[in-house]
Amino acid sequence: MNAAMNELNEYPGNIWMHVISLKREDAERLGYDHAAQWRNLIRAHRNEIAVAMHIPPSDFRWYAAFHDEGDHPHIHMMAWSAKPGQAYLSKDGIRKIKSALTNDIFKQELLHTYEQKSSSREELVRRAREEMKALAQEMQTSLGSHPEVETMMVTLATQLESVTGKKKYGYLPKTVKETVDKIVDLMEQLPVINECYQTWWELQCQIEDFYSERKRRRPPLSQQKEFRPIKNAVIQEAENIRMCTVTFEDAD
């Protein structure tokens, strides 16, 4: 310890202090209520931490102390480069360090949540396709129960007449994409879609809470990149309406 203190006191450059903390219940459940587990964690990811701080691994130096205190067992980690002036740490670097450590600490719990989220995503896409199929059938028989969505679908079908090339969301003009987004957001208001989306969103928040606990507001469904298949399903049904060949078949 004395040698470490002397080395730090004589170092002429910047030294970074990282505080890495867990809730008491998480630390006890996952084995991070003693120093050895923390030491193994940092040793396993020292090179990733070094790269995030723009330090070549061969020049990376660190010490850490474990504090088993209160509701948040934690470590204080001092990190620096053997070459003064070499290192710097940005917000992106901090994010990378947190991500590497969090993914390791909570890897089993994250894996389970990701599996649930994937199943929830598939369920939402399936339900959305079913709703689009039912809507298109209603439009054929003039028994539509969602007039606002139907009006937007007719608008989209008309817009697609002037679109050349692939009729996929990523290839459409901005104005046509805006129409698709409006339709998807209207569909979000349907009870079955809203329920599925809420389930997916809660799982997404669980994953994000591993990295940063903060209050989040659920964005419109059209803004979620993971659900582009829903947008393409909307486009396909609008194209079928335009061509008067409603088949309701899933191209995938």
Side-chain angles (χ1 to χ4, degrees):
M1 180 62 73
N2 289 334
M5 293 303 298
N6 289 334
E7 181 179 1
L8 291 171
N9 288 333
E10 295 174 3
Y11 183 71
N14 293 326
I15 297 174
W16 279 262
M17 174 73 79
H18 302 302
V19 180
I20 307 166
S21 173
L22 290 175
K23 294 179 180 178
R24 168 63 61 182
E25 58 268 27
D26 289 335
E28 292 179 349
R29 186 178 75 258
L30 300 170
Y32 286 89
D33 52 353
H34 56 86
Q37 188 78 340
W38 285 101
R39 181 171 59 248
N40 293 338
L41 177 73
I42 300 303
R43 284 176 173 174
H45 296 282
R46 70 174 301 280
N47 288 355
E48 293 169 88
I49 298 172
V51 171
M53 297 181 67
H54 298 87
I55 303 172
S58 58
D59 294 333
F60 185 62
R61 303 290 185 271
W62 68 277
Y63 289 108
F66 172 61
H67 294 164
D68 189 15
E69 298 177 356
D71 295 331
H72 292 276
H74 61 277
I75 62 169
H76 291 269
M77 177 184 176
M78 292 167 286
W80 69 97
S81 172
K83 298 175 182 177
Q86 182 182 57
Y88 71 91
L89 185 61
S90 63
K91 289 184 178 180
D92 184 60
I94 294 173
R95 181 191 61 77
K96 289 178 179 178
I97 293 172
K98 290 177 66 176
S99 178
L101 299 181
T102 299
N103 286 341
D104 193 333
I105 293 170
F106 296 100
K107 57 186 174 184
Q108 292 302 322
E109 295 181 1
L110 276 168
L111 178 61
H112 178 62
T113 305
Y114 273 118
E115 289 174 347
Q116 289 182 305
K117 181 186 166 191
S118 178
S119 296
S120 176
R121 174 187 176 277
E122 292 173 0
E123 176 68 5
L124 176 51
V125 172
R126 184 181 68 81
R127 289 296 186 92
R129 284 174 171 158
E130 289 177 351
E131 289 295 321
M132 285 306 306
K133 173 182 176 179
L135 176 66
Q137 288 176 323
E138 290 178 354
M139 291 177 69
Q140 272 198 322
T141 57
S142 300
L143 296 175
S145 57
H146 305 291
E148 192 173 0
V149 180
E150 294 167 13
T151 299
M152 294 301 300
M153 285 292 288
V154 172
T155 299
L156 177 59
T158 302
Q159 290 176 323
L160 290 174
E161 291 181 358
S162 60
V163 174
T164 57
K166 290 185 179 180
K167 302 289 176 63
K168 298 289 185 181
Y169 185 83
Y171 297 90
L172 299 180
K174 181 180 178 180
T175 54
V176 184
K177 287 181 178 179
E178 289 174 351
T179 302
V180 175
D181 290 346
K182 290 177 182 177
I183 294 171
V184 172
D185 290 338
L186 286 171
M187 291 182 63
E188 181 188 340
Q189 299 173 21
L190 302 178
V192 65
I193 302 300
N194 181 65
E195 182 180 351
C196 289
Y197 184 25
Q198 183 61 27
T199 299
W200 180 91
W201 174 246
E202 289 172 0
L203 291 167
Q204 176 67 18
C205 288
Q206 286 182 31
I207 292 171
E208 293 181 4
D209 282 344
F210 282 109
Y211 303 93
S212 175
E213 292 188 9
R214 57 185 177 84
K215 196 170 183 178
R216 301 176 179 87
R217 179 179 296 178
R218 193 180 89 175
L221 182 58
S222 64
Q223 294 182 19
Q224 296 287 6
K225 294 182 179 179
E226 289 196 45
F227 294 106
R228 180 165 290 191
I230 294 177
K231 296 183 179 184
N232 285 327
V234 168
I235 294 165
Q236 183 60 57
E237 292 300 343
E239 180 68 358
N240 288 338
I241 291 170
R242 184 181 75 84
M243 301 295 293
C244 299
T245 56
V246 183
T247 62
F248 315 121
E249 294 294 330
D250 184 351
D252 295 331

